[in-house]
Amino acid sequence: MRNTVFRKLMANEFGQVRAEMVARDHVLSALGGRTPDQALEAGQPPKEVWLAVCEAFDVPEHRR
C-alpha cells in the first residue's frame, strides 16, 4: 500500500478533515505511542498504520 492509498482510505472512512486530525493527533499504542503521521514519517509501512487505525476505531473488516 502506498501513502496515497492510505490517505484515500482515511478520507473515505473519516471524511477529509477528521482523517487529517486523526493522522496528525491521535496517538496509538499499536504504533509505538506515535500518531499515524509520525509512524509513516518513521518508515512504518502504510498498510500497518492503516490496520492500527482500523483496530483503534473499530473499522469493520469489509472496509479494511
Side-chain angles (χ1 to χ4, degrees):
M1 173 185 297
R2 293 177 184 230
N3 196 5
T4 55
V5 173
F6 169 77
R7 298 291 176 189
K8 183 176 180 180
L9 289 169
M10 290 285 289
N12 287 342
E13 187 63 35
F14 299 107
Q16 187 64 40
V17 173
R18 184 164 184 233
E20 291 173 11
M21 286 179 18
V22 168
R24 181 186 64 235
D25 299 330
H26 197 81
V27 175
L28 301 173
S29 60
L31 298 177
R34 297 179 292 199
T35 68
D37 281 347
Q38 290 169 333
L40 291 169
E41 288 172 16
Q44 195 157 357
K47 185 171 183 172
E48 288 180 15
V49 176
W50 170 243
L51 291 175
V53 170
C54 289
E55 284 294 317
F57 287 90
D58 294 322
V59 174
E61 287 289 329
H62 69 276
R63 292 199 308 257
R64 292 184 183 198

